Amino acid sequence: MRGLFLAALLLPLAAQAAEQSSDKTLIERGKYLARAADCVACHSIEGGAEYAGGLPLVSPFGTIYGTNITPDKEHGIGHYSAEEFYRAVTQGERRDGGKLYPAMPYTSYHLLKREDSDAIYAYLMSLDPIAKPSPKTDLAFPFNVRFGMTFWNMLYKNRVQLEPADGKGEEWQRGQYLVEVLGHCGECHTPRNALGALQQDLRMSGGVILGYEAPSLLAKDLAERGWTTDDLATFLKHGISDQGSVFNEMYPVLHHSTQYLPLDDHRAMATYLLGEQPPAPRSIKAVAESELGESAARGRQDYLNLCAGCHEAAGKGVPHVAVAMDGNTTLRLADSRNLLRVIDDGIREQQFTGFERMQPMPGFRDKLDDGQMRDLLNYLRQTWGGLETEVTPERVAELRGEAPSH
Amino acid sequence: MAKRALSMNLNGQVVGPFTVDDDLMMIEFLHEYLNLTGSRLGCGQGICHACVAILDKPDGTSEEIRTCITGAHFFDGKKVRTIEGHAKRDAKGEVSELNPIQQKFIDQFAFQCSYCTPGYVNAATVLVEKLQRQPVKRSELEGEIENALGNHICRCTGYVRYYNAAREVVEGLGLVKEG
């Protein structure tokens, strides 16, 4: 009798404990999903509270700011229900019916699973509310008229559609969801049209963002630039591999998102991108000095003068200091945009996972005139990039003439 | 490794032409070919700035260059100053008077082991020359000193004294505007 009484007393407690445990599990899953979706990158500023918003996203149409998505009721999403959150994330509609701008990647998230949205919502609602107002968007007319987004959405909202997964393995399918939906990789790695919409027919073939190229992620192009499934998974986990290190806009992606994912996810993403039967990576034998063109031969001395001190004369790099040129994927891009920009702008000190670091690379804009830059690009591309075509003086002038975008 | 001819104006004297490996770093050229060992090889990776020399540009400005990561041939045909070029010398070539920065560093006991000192002297010289062209507002002085010296590493941690000495030289030469 006494046992029955105790059991009756304990049952509600057990149910309550199970519910709390379930909440905790949901929040943990939401945290993982929010990282996979890299929410914090756009919804935080450096040194600011996570998810409290404020990051300026510079677009050709003006500046849009990442909003406060903490549970603050006045400035954040405190009044949102799970349903309203799902609509915002997948359809680009605010709780008050206003339209979001597609800087919020609902064009990719429209395929987000409802249970995943609910988990992210549970996680965000578990955070401390931060009473910080989001800066106002600053777009030129007519893009500042939010109502105009109604027409844009009719054309482009649900345009991202996944390749059928028929016959594909579980790992490939998981990779597809991580790359195409949660990771929304296509938002940067796809060219956009004049209205800022992703060009679906050129999906993942590369885009330009803030003056830098987000390179093609098509399997044939990745293999052309030397990528293997293992190396790509390593790159996503550690930010550094035999092909070089993350930089520019990909650095925060590593920092806030991919480094935290489990190894299975990196493998799945690489498997999706390169395919279950990946194409063989193109190997390149460094071109000898005697085989260089005239411009490249001149560029060799510029390389020895300004680059070899860190990247080593034979391009082997220095571990923990500077990446190798030999095998570096950036040298193998058909367009010289990123290579020129990195040489001109430099790269800030880079911190990777574990104990790996890269020291800052200075910019050499003031050390190389247009002719020297062209010669250096030709030397790098011919020697270690496997590229035979020469960069033209016009291309150097054009790239250097573009106003700094950030 | 191929070699090529190299000459430059160094501390006011034309040196060369030497036939030098085309991948030789400038600090090795200074040490091995010219016996100018005042520029220190520290990290060898462009971080510590102990090795910096001064490049005098055609437009009359000067800048510090890290010689451990910059090839000697980068300086071909250019004007360069090293730590050996700052003090005045008498007819016999003996040092007769230090420049104001060197003197102030001594007065302030700014260095201990002195390994980083040539780099600091060169950096402070570039700073003074910049401010001689355009004096700085007092409110911006600390930022200018930080920009000029902040990348230099002193393992004896003499930073405060280096900064104090640099500030006194700049102020002593009347290069600070009120405001």
Side-chain angles (χ1 to χ4, degrees):
Chain A
M1 187 70 189
R2 199 170 133 197
L4 275 175
F5 176 74
L6 267 177
L9 192 68
L10 288 174
L11 268 173
L13 288 175
Q16 199 179 350
E19 195 177 317
Q20 279 173 352
S21 164
S22 155
D23 281 355
K24 203 176 164 195
T25 306
L26 184 69
I27 288 168
E28 276 302 308
R29 177 159 172 74
K31 183 178 183 181
Y32 154 75
L33 291 164
R35 278 180 165 161
D38 201 10
C39 307
V40 77
C42 289
H43 290 282
S44 312
I45 52 170
E46 201 172 322
E50 287 195 343
Y51 301 107
L55 185 82
L57 299 161
V58 181
S59 81
F61 313 103
T63 303
I64 300 160
Y65 292 88
T67 52
N68 184 336
I69 53 170
T70 69
D72 186 74
K73 287 193 163 51
E74 190 180 352
H75 304 293
I77 58 168
H79 286 302
Y80 275 67
S81 66
E83 173 67 26
E84 288 163 344
F85 179 77
Y86 178 65
R87 282 195 68 75
V89 170
T90 59
Q91 301 300 313
E93 287 180 21
R94 289 192 316 217
R95 184 168 176 269
D96 63 5
K99 306 293 181 201
L100 296 175
Y101 288 108
M104 160 69 191
Y106 58 86
T107 45
S108 294
Y109 290 163
H110 82 97
L111 295 164
L112 191 71
K113 293 173 190 162
R114 175 62 198 261
E115 64 264 32
D116 287 353
S117 170
D118 288 353
I120 294 172
Y121 172 79
Y123 166 62
L124 293 174
M125 296 306 273
S126 76
L127 301 173
D128 290 335
I130 309 284
K132 182 187 163 205
S134 302
K136 293 263 181 263
T137 55
D138 180 19
L139 296 182
F141 181 81
F143 309 108
N144 58 352
V145 182
R146 281 189 187 263
F147 184 70
M149 289 311 301
T150 305
F151 303 106
W152 194 95
N153 284 338
M154 284 166 68
L155 290 169
Y156 303 119
K157 187 168 71 176
N158 298 329
R159 201 138 174 229
V160 171
Q161 294 300 331
L162 301 186
E163 183 189 335
D166 303 342
K168 302 290 187 188
E170 204 174 299
E171 191 176 47
W172 185 96
Q173 292 186 40
R174 171 146 193 77
Q176 183 184 45
Y177 187 64
L178 283 163
V179 167
E180 299 279 4
V181 183
L182 276 173
H184 58 283
C185 307
E187 298 281 334
C188 288
H189 290 272
T190 301
R192 291 178 183 271
N193 65 17
L195 289 175
L198 300 174
Q199 297 187 51
Q200 187 60 23
D201 52 337
L202 296 173
R203 191 159 179 73
M204 292 292 185
S205 68
V208 173
I209 176 168
L210 298 175
Y212 280 77
E213 178 182 349
S216 167
L217 299 184
L218 299 177
K220 66 179 175 55
D221 295 332
L222 286 168
E224 177 70 20
R225 301 201 309 273
W227 288 100
T228 65
T229 307
D230 283 348
D231 288 342
L232 203 48
T234 300
F235 187 76
L236 290 168
K237 173 66 185 169
H238 298 293
I240 190 164
S241 67
D242 288 348
Q243 290 76 8
S245 63
V246 295
F247 62 91
N248 200 251
E249 296 298 313
M250 196 59 196
Y251 183 71
V253 175
L254 165 83
H255 203 62
H256 298 304
S257 175
T258 60
Q259 68 162 315
Y260 294 110
L261 303 183
L263 290 171
D264 287 353
D265 281 355
H266 303 124
R267 185 83 199 171
M269 292 167 84
T271 299
Y272 170 68
L273 287 169
L274 277 163
E276 290 174 315
Q277 276 83 46
R282 182 182 170 210
S283 61
I284 291 173
K285 191 168 174 285
V287 170
E289 191 185 337
S290 58
E291 294 167 30
L292 296 171
E294 265 181 47
S295 166
R298 286 194 301 271
R300 178 177 173 277
Q301 190 60 54
D302 291 317
Y303 176 79
L304 294 173
N305 287 351
L306 295 175
C307 316
C310 294
H311 294 285
E312 202 263 335
K316 301 294 180 196
V318 177
H320 322 301
V321 174
V323 295
M325 297 290 93
D326 190 7
N328 194 297
T329 197
T330 301
L331 276 59
R332 299 167 72 162
L333 287 166
D335 188 21
S336 53
R337 173 185 288 276
N338 283 5
L339 194 51
L340 179 145
R341 199 115 285 157
V342 162
I343 295 168
D344 262 0
D345 296 351
I347 302 178
R348 276 169 41 170
E349 186 177 86
Q350 305 278 281
Q351 180 174 334
F352 302 108
T353 55
F355 298 112
E356 187 58 273
R357 305 283 185 276
M358 284 287 146
Q359 69 181 41
M361 171 177 163
F364 291 94
R365 197 188 306 270
D366 64 334
K367 301 279 183 301
L368 296 162
D369 62 27
D370 284 5
Q372 288 174 307
M373 173 57 87
R374 175 175 172 253
D375 293 343
L376 179 58
L377 292 174
N378 283 329
Y379 174 68
L380 293 167
R381 286 157 56 89
Q382 284 180 25
T383 305
W384 295 298
L387 297 165
E388 291 171 7
T389 53
E390 292 216 331
V391 180
T392 63
E394 292 77 22
R395 186 61 181 148
V396 171
E398 186 183 5
L399 287 169
R400 280 188 145 175
E402 287 180 11
S405 314
H406 57 100
Chain B
M1 186 57 70
K3 294 178 185 288
R4 62 173 63 206
L6 171 64
S7 57
M8 66 188 72
N9 183 312
L10 195 99
N11 296 329
Q13 304 274 319
V14 173
V15 297
F18 294 91
T19 303
V20 172
D21 282 352
D22 55 13
D23 68 340
L24 191 77
M25 287 296 125
M26 180 62 167
I27 194 158
E28 294 172 278
F29 176 68
L30 293 171
H31 286 191
E32 305 299 331
Y33 284 75
L34 303 176
N35 199 29
L36 295 177
T37 55
S39 302
R40 310 288 200 222
L41 177 63
C43 67
Q45 298 170 1
I47 296 295
C48 76
H49 287 66
C51 67
V52 299
I54 299 174
L55 177 68
D56 287 311
K57 296 195 278 191
D59 65 2
T61 62
S62 56
E63 70 171 313
E64 57 172 328
I65 304 264
R66 290 163 286 177
T67 59
C68 75
I69 56 165
T70 309
H73 288 281
F74 174 76
F75 298 90
D76 186 36
K78 294 176 178 164
K79 286 180 73 174
V80 185
R81 279 177 285 161
T82 64
I83 188 64
E84 290 87 353
H86 291 294
K88 286 183 181 162
R89 292 173 190 270
D90 60 22
K92 292 180 191 166
E94 299 294 324
V95 170
S96 57
E97 184 186 343
L98 297 177
N99 84 352
I101 294 160
Q102 291 172 307
Q103 189 59 56
K104 190 62 75 176
F105 279 5
I106 289 176
D107 295 345
Q108 283 276 0
F109 295 95
F111 50 86
Q112 292 178 47
C113 86
S114 88
Y115 202 82
C116 63
T117 305
Y120 270 101
V121 170
N122 285 333
T125 300
V126 168
L127 170 66
V128 165
E129 290 170 353
K130 179 185 171 194
L131 300 185
Q132 281 171 334
R133 293 189 298 276
Q134 186 168 7
V136 65
K137 289 180 190 169
R138 181 163 299 284
S139 59
E140 294 168 357
L141 177 59
E142 290 309 310
E144 287 287 343
I145 294 173
E146 176 61 32
N147 283 340
L149 306 184
N151 284 324
H152 288 247
I153 294 175
C154 166
R155 291 297 66 175
C156 307
T157 67
Y159 301 106
V160 171
R161 290 180 174 184
Y162 275 130
Y163 278 44
N164 286 345
R167 192 181 304 110
E168 286 193 14
V169 172
V170 169
E171 288 175 338
L173 292 172
L175 305 179
V176 181
K177 297 186 290 186
E178 292 310 319

